[in-house]
Structure formats: C-alpha cells, structure tokens
Amino acid sequence: MAVEVPGEIAMADVPSSPPAAVTVTAESVPALPSRKRTRHQPSARFNLTSSDDAPLFSSDDFNDASVDNYAPGRSKRQFLGPWWQHSSQTVPDDAPQPQPRGFGRNLDSGIFMGSDDTVSSEDSATSLPLPLDLRCAPRHYMSVTLSEPELRAVELIRYCLERGEERVDLSNYGIQSLSNGLLEPLHQLIKHPRHAGTDLPGPESYEVLVPALQLFLSGNSLRSIPREVWNFQSLTVLSLRNNELTELPPSIGRLHNLVELNVSGNRLRWLPWELLRLYGKNGKLRRLTTLPNPFVQGLKFTGTLQTIRQWHFPSTSDGLRDVLQSLQEDLASSTQDSAEAIQTAWLLKLHNLISAEVFREHISTSLPSEIPHLLRSIPSIRKEQPLLIAATPLSYFAFDGSPLPGFSPPSVTPENVELVPASLTLDMKQPPSHHPSSRAPSLLELTLRTLTTSSNFSNSVTLSTLRSYLPRTTSPAIIRTINLAFEVQENGGRNCSVCKRAYAIPRAEWIEYWHFVPDGAAKAASGEMFVPHLRRVCSFGCAKEGRGAEDVEVGER
Amino acid sequence: MTSNAPPSGQTDYVTLVSCDGFEFKVQRSSAEIAEAIRRMLDPRTGFYEAIHNRCEFSDITGLVLEKVVEYLYYNEKNKDAKEVPDMEIPPEMTLEVLMAADFLNV
C-alpha cells in the first residue's frame, strides 16, 4: 500500500524513469528523517534522468558509506598523524581544516556525457583544435611548401577523390614539376556506384568499381613525369600532350590497362621499347598519338611521302598485291643506295610483312583455294600487330656507361640531327674482341644495384649523403654513374629488354623502327609510318640474344 | 726461384697485393677480366707487374680486394651462364668497392 502510491506519482510525472525508490524510503521510514534531505539536496543539481539509483542502504557501494554521512551538518571525524597522538583536542590549529564532505557525486563521470546540464564537457567534445583541411591532408605534402598551381592540383585531386571522379584533368595548370606525394592519393580512388537510390539494384548496377583512371597532364611545362604515374595500374587514358618531355621512362610499359596515350607536342626523340608491350595483341592500347615530336628518322623521305607526307594503304588484298608489284618495279628501276631506293625498300618490307600476316592468318584457318576471297581487311592487321621494319646497328658501352670507342650511340644524337640510319637486315656490330660477351654484370653495376636497392629500404642512403661520403678526389665518372643510377631509380627503375633483370647502366643500345597505327587508319603520316623505339640491354650477352631473331617477340613480364 | 731473379714468362697464377699487405693468388684468366689488371700484366709493356706477375694496389684494402677477387671468379664462372645470380655486396662496403671497380675498370 505504502509502496504503490508514490509509484503512481512517479509514473505520472516522469514515465521513463523508474519509481523513485528514495521517496518511498523517506516517507515510509520516519526513523531516518535525514534521508529525505540528502536526497533532495543533490536532486537540484542532477536530475532524475540519471540511470544511477541514489544510495539507499549504507551497505551500498560507496567508499565511505557510514551512517555519519546521512546526518546533516555532521562531518566524519578526521584524524591526522599516528594513533598515539590522538586525543579529542590534539588537532593542531595550523593543520589544514578538513572540509566537511558533502554527499555529492562527480557529475562528469564520463559515462553519461551530455545527459546533465554541464556545458564544459560538450565544449571539449566538439571543438578540436585542427581545421578539417589540415587533418585530411596526407603527410607527404604537409611539410613542403607548394606553389600556387600545385595547390590547385591538390584541391582538384581531393575533389576527384571525394566524388569518385575517374577523370583527373590537370591540363593547363602551369605545373612545372609534380611530386610523387601529390598524385599518390589517387591510388585510393574508388568509383561510386552509378545507382545510389533506395530501390533494389537492377542487373545493370552490378559493375566493377575499380576505377578506370584518366589522367590529363597536357599543357603544362613538365620535364619529367613523377614515378607514381607509372604505378597507377588502373590508368586507362594518359595525356602528356604539350609538355617538355625529352624521354619517356621504360616504366611506362607497366601501365598495361592503358587504352589511350597522347605524347604529342613534346621533345621526344624516340619512344621506349617497353611501350611495345602495350601495343597489339598483348596490350590494350587503341589510340596512340605521337606526332608532332622531333623523332629521329631511319630514312630520308622522298617523292610523295616528302611532299604530301602521307601514305595511303590498300584496303583489299588485290590492292595490296598491286602496291607490292609497283614497289618491286620501283626498286628494280631506282639506283642502288639512293634515297628513293631506301624508301622503296622500307615500304616494300612493310607491305610484305602485312601480306605475310594476312596470309599466315588464312592458311591456318581455311583452304588455300579460298584465300583470295577470305582475306581480312588490311587495316585490322596493321592494328593488331606492331611490325618491326628496321634497326640501327648496336652501340656498346663500357662498364661505366661511356660509349666504347668507335660507336656513336643513338641516345647521344645531337638535337639537330634527324637521320639515324637503320638497316632492314638488322645486322649488328660486334663489340671489341677483348670484351667477352657474357651476361655477368660488371662490378660497378653490382655495387650500383646494391646502392639503389638499399636506398629503397633505408632513408639514410640518399644521393646527397653518398656524395658527402665520397672523397673530393673522386673521379667525375663515378659521380656521374651514381647520379645516373639514382635518376633511374627515381624514374621507377628499368629492366633489361632481353633478360628482364633490373639494371642501372646499359651496356648496349639501338633503335628499332616499328610500324604500328593503333586505329588502323587507311592513311598514315610519314612521321608515324616508322616510329623509333629505343631498346637497351644490360650486358653484351643480352645484346647478342636480343638481335638473334628478326621477329622479336614483344616480351611480357 | 729467388725473389731477385725475374721469373721467365707468364705464370698461370698472378698475385694481387692490397695496400695492407694481403696477397691473393688469382688465376691469370680471371684477373685479366679487369681491364686495368690486363694492361698491367701485358708482357709487351715491360711493366714491373708484367715481369713479376705481381700487382700491388696502394689504394685498395685487403677487404675490398677480397671482394674484387670474388667478383673476378664470379665473372669467370658465369661467363656462359644464361641466368646470372647477383653477387652479394655488403651495403657498408659499396662505396669502397665502387671506387675499386672504377680504378680497375671492371
């Protein structure tokens, strides 16, 4: 009976809270009149929504639970010092007077933050000292000061990341150099699903969310591309148009999802041989724009190729046969080793390769009598397989990367020289006899490999620290080779085009002229008929292997 | 054979001496992989080294020369190999070995 009435009152006042048991005790047990007061005094400060029950019994879990606490105006007896000094009046006057301990609770228990009216805890929870931008910024570019265009680039990259935007258009930003750290966040790009409503996803919603990254760096003044770009395995479109690149690193061959590549309007003299990996059947590259670039040429164009600068390809097998015939007649009538004869020979080889490709395809699939009618279109053949037309003689390097006497490697061709003659027979010049053609790396090469690989593991091995360790009398050749090794490392390393091992100093190089028009257009500009690709190998032994077969298989890693 | 009398002709093994006095007896064909040693030992030059079949290097310590000799044999061994394993060079030695490699043209 006595229990029921206060329960009803409590239910009517605050339905969510349990019955105020305290009130019950206070009223039903008049022997403890102090009880009511202790309860009411704190209730002004902390309301009943607290889920903790107020202490009801003296045996409740309190540190100093004692009947003394329940008496108002009385404090516990406090003792100072050891027991033998204790008497009722021996507490010294200068001893700190113990404060009467009220029956309070620490409001900020940390569990029910915000459930009471205190404001101090809410303040500390919401206002963190760092602005949001700074906390999101990756550590890589927090320490360096960025130029204005770079800051805009950072802004754009962050925008693309947030929106799941695959097309990163940094063209015409006026960037002079890009750091690796700036592009690195793009690795984390996640494509957003196309359908984000509340309906059930239809079958068209199930798609791969791996982004097909498109990076546009055109119209800047870049002299080199940061290494990080070559690590974007998901890159499908890369535009480096209108920059100031002089060489593409071999690491570009790692971008095996690349569909479109634009390198026009740079200062490239050749393309890396590793790019061939992306062409044809092995790769996915379908659009390649190379012109204009000051490419070296293997032959001097004459006649219509010089004036109109275009060559029309036959589209049928009959047309191909006619072209072959007329080229053969031209070759027979022209004087040997003249510019016309060389050009005709190159064209003849190109068309011979095309027709061989056409016929090889058909001999394996159909009866010989059907061949003339079933020929596939010539453009598709030209689209599918890059064709090796000619190559320059090999140039060999000494152990330290300087050319051996008697060789003029293509990579040191002066800028004003356009013609680097090549031969169709792919002949080679042997290295001097006292250089054994083994595949063993030189001792210098081995030490450079150790240096560059240890710089991968340890931050202390950098170019500047190494330079400080070297004595002043160090020969410039050593400094040059160390610089070269670290530069190669910075560009993502390079692998021998024959044995696929990583190396620092090439021992031989040559240029191969390949014909490859990815879209198989019916006409080709003279500049893109035979595109130079620079090929390098790590040892004399590899040089011998690489030139063995004429139809060099495009290596896959 | 006394040390005063010059040995007649070429021996199969040559001696490489480091600056701190370590001597390495190395097969001639291996030693001549190093361009500089080959020129030192060329009998046509009449160098002291060619006559005595003994090369002394005043800049190369015994530790580094040992590594160089190891490399010479490594090269000789892998002359015709298709797959050549990398020779281990301790990172702390690389700069000294680099200088020696440049000096010996190897």
Side-chain angles (χ1 to χ4, degrees), chain A residues 226-379:
Chain A
R227 174 186 52 186
E228 206 55 49
V229 171
W230 318 124
N231 293 336
F232 289 128
Q233 296 289 324
S234 56
L235 203 63
T236 54
V237 178
L238 178 62
S239 174
L240 305 172
R241 193 165 52 90
N242 291 341
N243 278 295
E244 293 180 18
L245 305 173
T246 51
E247 191 161 9
L248 285 178
S251 331
I252 198 171
R254 295 205 293 245
L255 301 173
H256 45 72
N257 283 316
L258 206 61
V259 176
E260 198 176 327
L261 176 66
N262 192 335
V263 292
S264 62
N266 282 293
R267 293 191 283 164
L268 300 173
R269 310 291 326 264
W270 47 75
L271 299 175
W273 182 84
E274 284 75 9
L275 199 61
L276 286 165
R277 230 177 258 147
L278 308 178
Y279 299 169
K281 285 169 187 157
N282 297 316
K284 295 177 179 167
L285 199 72
R286 292 298 168 265
R287 287 196 70 184
L288 172 68
T289 316
T290 53
L291 294 180
N293 262 312
F295 283 141
V296 294
Q297 298 293 340
L299 75 165
K300 203 171 170 348
F301 289 112
T302 60
T304 52
L305 270 176
Q306 191 192 14
T307 51
I308 307 172
R309 306 185 71 87
Q310 266 184 359
W311 180 260
H312 288 266
F313 285 92
S315 54
T316 61
S317 54
D318 291 339
L320 182 63
R321 222 168 271 144
D322 291 346
V323 171
L324 277 174
Q325 204 167 5
S326 71
L327 282 172
Q328 268 157 353
E329 283 164 11
D330 286 354
L331 189 61
S333 62
S334 58
T335 51
Q336 196 137 25
D337 288 339
S338 67
E340 292 88 26
I342 294 173
Q343 180 183 309
T344 315
W346 280 52
L347 289 172
L348 191 62
K349 177 161 184 186
L350 172 61
H351 288 84
N352 269 329
L353 285 173
I354 292 174
S355 67
E357 201 66 37
V358 168
F359 280 91
R360 187 171 65 188
E361 194 74 25
H362 282 272
I363 284 168
S364 59
T365 56
S366 61
L367 297 169
S369 61
E370 292 173 313
I371 288 171
H373 311 290
L374 285 174
L375 288 184
R376 287 187 318 163
S377 68
I378 282 120

